[in-house]
Amino acid sequence: MKDLLVFAPEVEQALAANRPVVALESTIITHGMPYPQNLEVARRVEATVREAGATPATIAVIDGRIRIGLDDATLQGLAETPGAQVMKLSRADLAACLALGRTGATTVAATMICAHLAGIRTFATGGIGGVHRGAETSFDISADLHELARTPVTVVAAGAKAILDLPKTREVLETLGVPVIAFGQDALPAFWSRDSGLAAPLRMDDPAQIARAGLLRTDLGLSGGQLVVNPIPEADEIPRATMIPVVEQALAEAEAQGIAAKSVTPFLLQRIFELTRGRSLDANIALVLNNARLAARIAAAMA
Ligand code: PSU
Ligand code: MN
């Protein structure tokens, strides 16, 4: 198994010494944010993990090899490559990308799989995939939800974007037996806003409790990870009312253009960035950094 993975030296050393490591995904870089902000954010997230006392491991497939930790030149190359040229990898695509010798960015699902293979138990991202609006006809439910149910990694996110159906996403996570733990509040956060108007199923206020819950799931023989939903800092949040018309417009354009399958989430994210240029991106950056800090504290408690 391990020979399929290529470790960055600092990540390998940190894991060998049982020091905290935080996995980071790469689809947010290639399909989630525009260049050059994507590169700047990827670097700042890594720096934030380091400042918080953990080692960052950005995960991607480069020329058919799973890389656990990227050097800066590789990170830059990935950020500069147009998203259309990089495979978007979920559980279904990972082995195929290796067999084809291609380059691919890992979604939350694929990053969880690779992190688990590498022995990393904590992972920070921005938003997860979920149940799309209109899923009752489109059947569009992200594989991220099923991955959370089967792979033992603690994922720190800021909730799910309003492009998704939040009540249905919460229901599916409950059905799949995924703990959804709000950090420090009772409400489920909604990405750009701190409060979705829905209650979070679980709440914890201490990163050490979150770490312990993750380890106890494994001790209990429960497969699967846990989702930690961390509200965006107050100073950076955007009121829900501001985002609703933007999201509605992006969804209407996706429908009119017949966008389907893997293209749906990247299309919506890109249109929202274009429509709000500046504000939604600033909020997105702030919440990713905030998640990186919390993940580092959880990883330290687990190590
Ligand atoms: N949601 C965001 N930003 C993102 C993604 C989702 O707010 O960058 C990315 C993540 O990589 C996530 C993936 O795992 O999109 C989900 O894609 P899909 O909906 O096709 O499963
Ligand atoms: Mn989908």
Side-chain angles (χ1 to χ4, degrees), residues 25-33 88-90 105-111 123 125-132 140-145 159-164 191-192 260-266 269 273 284 287-288:
E25 62 151 310
S26 44
T27 295
I28 190 173
I29 302 172
T30 56
H31 296 72
M33 289 186 184
K88 176 182 161 187
L89 307 177
S90 191
T106 51
T107 59
V108 168
T111 305
F123 163 21
T125 185
I128 60 157
V131 181
H132 280 261
D140 191 347
I141 301 175
S142 176
D144 290 354
L145 302 184
K161 282 202 172 132
I163 59 174
L164 301 173
F191 202 81
W192 299 291
K262 276 179 173 315
S263 306
V264 174
T265 298
L269 296 179
F273 286 131
N284 203 343
L287 66 86
V288 176

Side-chain angles (χ1 to χ4, degrees), residues 75-258:
L75 195 66
Q76 184 166 352
L78 201 59
E80 284 171 356
T81 309
Q85 287 171 33
V86 180
M87 288 176 78
K88 176 182 161 187
L89 307 177
S90 191
R91 167 173 281 265
D93 321 285
L94 198 52
C97 185
L98 301 184
L100 293 166
R102 286 190 58 186
T103 290
T106 51
T107 59
V108 168
T111 305
M112 289 180 76
I113 295 168
C114 297
H116 178 52
L117 288 172
I120 303 170
R121 290 173 297 202
T122 314
F123 163 21
T125 185
I128 60 157
V131 181
H132 280 261
R133 297 214 218 160
E136 58 275 23
T137 49
S138 70
F139 279 48
D140 191 347
I141 301 175
S142 176
D144 290 354
L145 302 184
H146 292 271
E147 206 58 52
L148 282 160
R150 63 197 295 180
T151 302
V153 172
T154 294
V155 178
V156 181
K161 282 202 172 132
I163 59 174
L164 301 173
D165 186 319
L166 297 186
K168 288 195 183 74
T169 300
R170 186 179 62 172
E171 288 294 345
V172 169
L173 286 164
E174 181 180 318
T175 302
L176 292 171
V178 177
V180 178
I181 304 166
F183 181 64
Q185 67 176 31
D186 295 323
L188 195 70
F191 202 81
W192 299 291
S193 342
R194 290 170 65 81
D195 187 347
S196 62
L198 300 174
L202 297 163
R203 168 185 177 156
M204 289 186 188
D205 294 0
D206 178 0
Q209 294 168 333
I210 298 171
R212 189 160 156 68
L215 298 175
L216 278 167
R217 269 181 79 80
T218 305
D219 290 347
L220 290 167
L222 302 173
S223 59
Q226 48 183 12
L227 176 63
V228 178
V229 280
N230 187 28
I232 183 172
E234 248 170 75
D236 302 297
E237 86 168 316
I238 305 178
R240 266 191 294 161
T242 307
M243 293 307 298
I244 286 170
V246 171
V247 169
E248 297 291 345
Q249 183 179 338
L251 286 165
E253 289 178 17
E255 164 123 35
Q257 294 179 38

Side-chain angles (χ1 to χ4, degrees), residues 269-290:
L269 296 179
Q270 199 195 315
R271 282 306 286 144
I272 291 167
F273 286 131
E274 287 163 3
L275 293 168
T276 68
R277 175 82 56 189
R279 195 160 184 208
S280 79
L281 187 55
D282 290 346
N284 203 343
I285 293 168
L287 66 86
V288 176
L289 298 178
N290 192 44

Side-chain angles (χ1 to χ4, degrees), residues 2-87:
K2 286 251 157 148
D3 55 335
L4 288 173
L5 307 177
V6 181
F7 286 83
E10 64 164 343
V11 174
E12 192 161 36
Q13 286 156 17
L15 288 170
N18 197 27
R19 289 198 303 268
V21 175
V22 173
L24 301 166
E25 62 151 310
S26 44
T27 295
I28 190 173
I29 302 172
T30 56
H31 296 72
M33 289 186 184
Y35 180 82
Q37 291 95 331
N38 60 349
L39 177 59
E40 188 202 319
V41 174
R43 286 176 173 154
R44 281 180 66 192
V45 176
E46 290 199 350
T48 300
V49 170
R50 282 201 182 88
E51 281 159 26
T55 301
T58 302
I59 293 177
V61 177
I62 307 291
D63 298 332
R65 316 282 309 270
I66 298 174
R67 303 273 295 263
I68 309 294
L70 303 179
D71 56 73
D72 194 66
T74 307
L75 195 66
Q76 184 166 352
L78 201 59
E80 284 171 356
T81 309
Q85 287 171 33
V86 180
M87 288 176 78

